[in-house]
Amino acid sequence: MIAINNLKCWKSRIPLFIFVLLCMLIAPFPAHANSLPSSSAYTLSASTSSPQVGDSFTVTATANVSELFAFETIFTYDPQRVKLIRADAAANGNLIKPVADEGKIVLAWSKEGNEQPTNGTMRMAELTFNVLKEGETEVLWKSLRIANRSLQEVSVSPGVSLRTNVRAESGSGDVGNVGGVNVPNTVGSGKEPALLALEAAIITNPAQTSQFSVRAVSLTSEPGNHVRVALHVEQVLKEIHSTNGKSTFVIMIPRQESASITVDVASEVLQAIQSKSGGSGSLVISSSVGMYKLPIDQLKLDASSKVTITIAPVSEEQAHAMGTIVANEGFTLAGAPVDFSVSILDASGQVTEMHDYESAFAARTLPAGHMDPDKSAAVLFRADDTLAPVPTLFVKQPDGSYMALIHRMGNSAYGLITGSRTFADLRGHWSKGDIETMAGRLLVNGDTEGRFRPDDAITRAEFAKLLTNALALPDKGDSMTFRDVEPSAWYSRTLLTAVSFGLIKGYDGGVFRPDSFVSREEIAIMLDRALHLTGYQYDSPANFAELLDMDQLNDWSKDAIYKMLGLGIITGDQSNMIQPSQSATRAEAAVMLKRMLIKLSYMNE
């Protein structure tokens, strides 16, 4: 009865506690006294401290709370300079449709009835504004009312404000370069580090990049912590055609913690990007969950096609199963993996899932926080409940965190793992550090007795598997055509893929000779083919010291050997010789492969 009487005092305002009671009816809780709720340490932070007219920015409200089960909070802002376009409670739960008056927003939120109250730091609200007019603007956190599960309430006035300086419109946003990965210049408010992960974009050339304005993009929150993004075609086409020298266009999605993102793009938008860029254009989807660079030239589109890109954390059940798979390999899964998918809806209503691409290594990122790059790796999870390594570069951000930059010719669920591996027979060996680095990324393995056998010669089948796995190439080809390769052989699938991509070839008579050893010049040829497959652009030939046995090179290998020497992928031995026709060892092959991946920026040094 006390709770009901209390509600009557609030009837002129948002019925927050009616909402709470409904949650309780759905999932009753034990009848016992709760500790009084409390809150303190209020902060407001912005995704950028200097947005420009026509752009958007997000303000995040954080508080330290105890025994919080529900809250109502009020913010005020300057409607002459900014327009509120979205208001969300930052945590999962039940949100009453926000009430927005001119310059004022009221949010009411509650947990589900069977959940425990929150204790500790909590992101309570995220407000996204469209910038209307230049000059200084202010967002004020005016009031906060919180309640525990017994509807005991506390009212406070945080009195925290955030001032933002709005710049005049100047076309596309500024872009800065960070260690090979380019991100829009973003500065925090001083309350917390800038949230760079949501604004990360893999950009080949910042000068050729343009970000779509908020007028071109609309976001709709859907059940299940899902955000659907649609483009306003007329505005988007206008922005594409108004740019000069742009080939990469970015859809920037304001921070949505752990939300899955679905973006629908009309075929005419992608075709306009291709036309504007001479066929080399890209579309980048950037969110806090992950970034994806869509290779438009890999898509078969008709005039009325619609492309859908989804970036979604896997479910808790899937994450648990994936964690078990990772643990079985002796590693630890770091956070929930993220599934990247692309589908095409054509004019007939048929949907085609783009599992693999024909020739493009599509780029994507995962936020890696403060993981140690020397003990971390990214993996993909296959449909058969196995995992595989993927080319990954950990890029340090200005706030000290990392992004994992992944390149692969396909789409899947990707996750980050931590751990290390070593082999007993590497002690004192010259390759120990390199082999352990490669093993920690699942790129090389030992035998069943835990040995690596670094000085054993490597076979053609072994190197084909090593190279195919290093590039995470998708399965390709229908059947094995070599007379000396059994379909059930342990290497048959990766061998078929390597042959299908032209990395390795057979001999006359339809044989492959899988158990024959690979020479150093044969490895040079295969690494050269792999570099071409990735689209690597060779600079002018680098100067390198002439080795004593260069006259022993075969004509068919000279070009590849010169290239590998110029890139530092192959080096001479202690006698200043390359011994091109000699069999390479397992250690030599692994080290050369590592150097190639580093040269491609597919792994860290």
Side-chain angles (χ1 to χ4, degrees):
M1 206 51 207
I2 295 175
I4 295 176
N5 290 334
N6 191 36
L7 281 170
K8 291 179 181 179
C9 299
W10 287 54
K11 63 182 179 181
S12 62
R13 305 185 61 183
I14 288 182
L16 168 63
F17 291 99
I18 291 178
F19 184 52
V20 176
L21 285 173
L22 288 175
C23 296
M24 294 174 181
L25 291 174
I26 294 171
F29 58 91
H32 60 78
N34 294 65
S35 300
L36 284 174
S38 66
S39 62
S40 61
Y42 312 101
T43 62
L44 289 177
S45 60
S47 57
T48 174
S49 64
S50 186
Q52 65 182 27
V53 174
D55 284 349
S56 64
F57 68 100
T58 300
V59 174
T60 302
T62 304
N64 188 41
V65 300
S66 65
E67 294 299 317
L68 185 147
F69 188 76
F71 70 78
E72 176 198 76
T73 189
I74 300 176
F75 301 88
T76 60
Y77 58 93
D78 182 358
Q80 302 301 315
R81 297 193 183 277
V82 296
K83 176 183 178 182
L84 182 71
I85 57 176
R86 189 172 60 259
D88 293 315
N92 294 332
N94 298 300
L95 176 68
I96 289 181
K97 183 177 180 180
V99 176
D101 295 326
E102 191 74 1
K104 178 181 177 182
I105 177 69
V106 185
L107 288 175
W109 174 93
S110 169
K111 286 179 170 289
E112 299 286 354
N114 59 353
E115 293 184 0
Q116 294 299 313
T118 294
N119 295 281
T121 301
M122 177 180 178
R123 286 194 177 98
M124 307 191 73
E126 290 179 345
L127 311 176
T128 301
F129 297 95
N130 182 20
V131 179
L132 303 176
K133 185 178 179 181
E134 66 178 299
E136 187 177 74
T137 188
E138 180 184 37
V139 177
L140 173 65
W141 193 349
K142 189 174 182 180
S143 69
L144 173 65
R145 288 155 43 89
I146 64 175
N148 60 17
R149 295 179 65 155
S150 298
L151 295 187
Q152 296 169 305
E153 65 188 67
V154 171
S155 297
V156 295
S157 297
V160 178
S161 67
L162 177 72
R163 295 181 181 275
T164 303
N165 184 42
V166 176
R167 297 176 290 128
E169 189 170 12
S170 60
S172 59
D174 294 334
V175 179
N177 184 283
V178 183
V181 177
N182 297 278
V183 299
N185 290 325
T186 310
V187 180
S189 65
K191 302 294 185 180
E192 62 182 19
L195 302 174
L196 293 173
L198 76 151
E199 297 189 356
I202 306 306
I203 299 169
T204 304
N205 186 340
Q208 297 176 358
T209 301
S210 179
Q211 178 183 325
F212 289 128
S213 73
V214 294
R215 296 184 296 274
V217 183
S218 65
L219 288 78
T220 303
S221 295
E222 297 182 343
N225 199 25
H226 187 87
V227 175
R228 182 167 290 274
V229 182
L231 300 182
H232 302 303
V233 175
E234 184 176 347
Q235 178 65 27
V236 167
L237 294 178
K238 178 181 176 182
E239 294 182 15
I240 292 173
H241 294 312
S242 65
T243 61
N244 293 317
K246 307 297 184 182
S247 59
T248 300
F249 293 83
V250 181
I251 300 174
M252 200 73 72
I253 301 169
R255 182 181 176 87
Q256 296 282 337
E257 188 74 29
S258 300
S260 60
I261 308 295
T262 295
V263 182
D264 296 318
V265 186
S267 175
E268 58 186 311
V269 170
L270 300 177
Q271 291 171 348
I273 293 175
Q274 288 297 79
S275 176
K276 187 74 176 180
S277 63
S280 60
S282 298
L283 179 68
V284 172
I285 314 299
S286 185
S287 75
S288 60
V289 181
M291 182 285 309
Y292 188 78
K293 187 174 184 180
L294 180 71
I296 303 173
D297 62 347
Q298 300 290 297
L299 309 178
K300 296 180 180 179
L301 305 173
D302 56 41
S304 58
S305 296
K306 182 179 75 172
V307 177
T308 299
I309 306 103
T310 300
I311 307 173
V314 302
S315 66
E316 290 186 12
E317 182 179 0
Q318 289 174 306
H320 178 75
M322 292 172 175
T324 300
I325 296 171
V326 171
N328 290 338
E329 293 288 338
F331 290 80
T332 302
L333 183 65
V338 176
D339 189 27
F340 294 81
S341 65
V342 177
S343 63
I344 303 173
L345 174 66
D346 63 23
S348 67
Q350 181 177 351
V351 176
T352 302
E353 293 286 340
M354 297 297 298
H355 296 293
D356 304 319
Y357 294 122
E358 187 68 25
S359 60
F361 282 75
R364 73 217 77 207
T365 66
L366 292 176
H370 292 278
M371 297 178 68
D372 182 353
D374 293 333
K375 298 180 180 179
S376 305
V379 295
L380 70 91
F381 294 90
R382 298 193 183 106
D384 62 356
D385 293 331
T386 60
L387 57 81
V390 286
T392 309
L393 181 73
F394 287 88
V395 182
K396 193 170 186 178
Q397 302 300 290
D399 65 351
S401 67
Y402 285 89
M403 281 194 308
L405 168 58
I406 300 168
H407 284 90
R408 183 172 173 261
M409 297 175 75
N411 300 306
S412 183
Y414 301 86
L416 301 177
I417 64 172
T418 60
S420 61
R421 278 180 177 171
T422 188
F423 305 97
D425 57 348
L426 289 179
R427 187 173 302 159
H429 198 272
W430 65 268
S431 67
K432 182 177 185 293
D434 291 321
I435 298 302
E436 289 177 343
T437 296
M438 296 287 279
R441 287 159 176 75
L442 306 182
L443 293 171
V444 298
N445 294 298
D447 59 21
T448 55
E449 298 179 5
R451 301 171 304 173
F452 184 74
R453 299 180 286 112
D455 296 319
D456 286 4
I458 189 168
T459 67
R460 285 167 55 80
E462 288 174 331
F463 190 76
K465 181 176 176 62
L466 195 67
L467 185 55
T468 302
N469 287 350
L471 296 177
L473 296 178
D475 291 343
K476 191 174 182 180
D478 298 322
S479 60
M480 186 58 65
T481 59
F482 299 113
R483 293 188 290 108
D484 57 346
V485 175
E486 292 292 333
S488 59
W490 61 267
Y491 53 80
S492 63
R493 185 173 74 174
T494 54
L495 175 58
L496 178 60
T497 298
V499 171
S500 299
F501 279 104
L503 299 181
I504 192 169
K505 299 179 181 179
Y507 295 93
D508 293 339
V511 295
F512 183 78
R513 301 177 189 171
D515 296 323
S516 295
F517 297 133
V518 182
S519 69
R520 292 183 177 88
E521 57 186 343
E522 287 173 331
I523 285 183
I525 289 286
M526 286 183 270
L527 294 179
D528 180 45
R529 292 170 180 163
L531 286 166
H532 281 291
L533 179 64
T534 65
Y536 181 81
Q537 298 294 319
Y538 285 99
D539 296 326
S540 57
N543 295 323
F544 54 87
E546 287 286 337
L547 303 177
L548 295 179
D549 55 351
M550 296 289 279
D551 59 339
Q552 298 180 21
L553 293 176
N554 287 297
D555 288 341
W556 53 265
S557 70
K558 283 183 178 179
D559 182 62
I561 290 287
Y562 290 154
K563 289 177 180 176
M564 296 305 107
L565 287 171
L567 294 174
I569 293 174
I570 292 180
T571 59
D573 60 18
Q574 292 179 341
S575 301
N576 199 32
M577 294 194 298
I578 188 175
Q579 301 186 50
S581 61
Q582 292 296 310
S583 299
T585 66
R586 286 167 52 82
E588 290 170 342
V591 170
M592 285 187 277
L593 188 59
K594 178 190 175 189
R595 292 170 181 163
M596 183 196 74
L597 293 172
I598 291 173
K599 184 61 64 174
L600 287 167
S601 294
Y602 280 6
M603 72 177 293
N604 298 77
E605 295 189 35

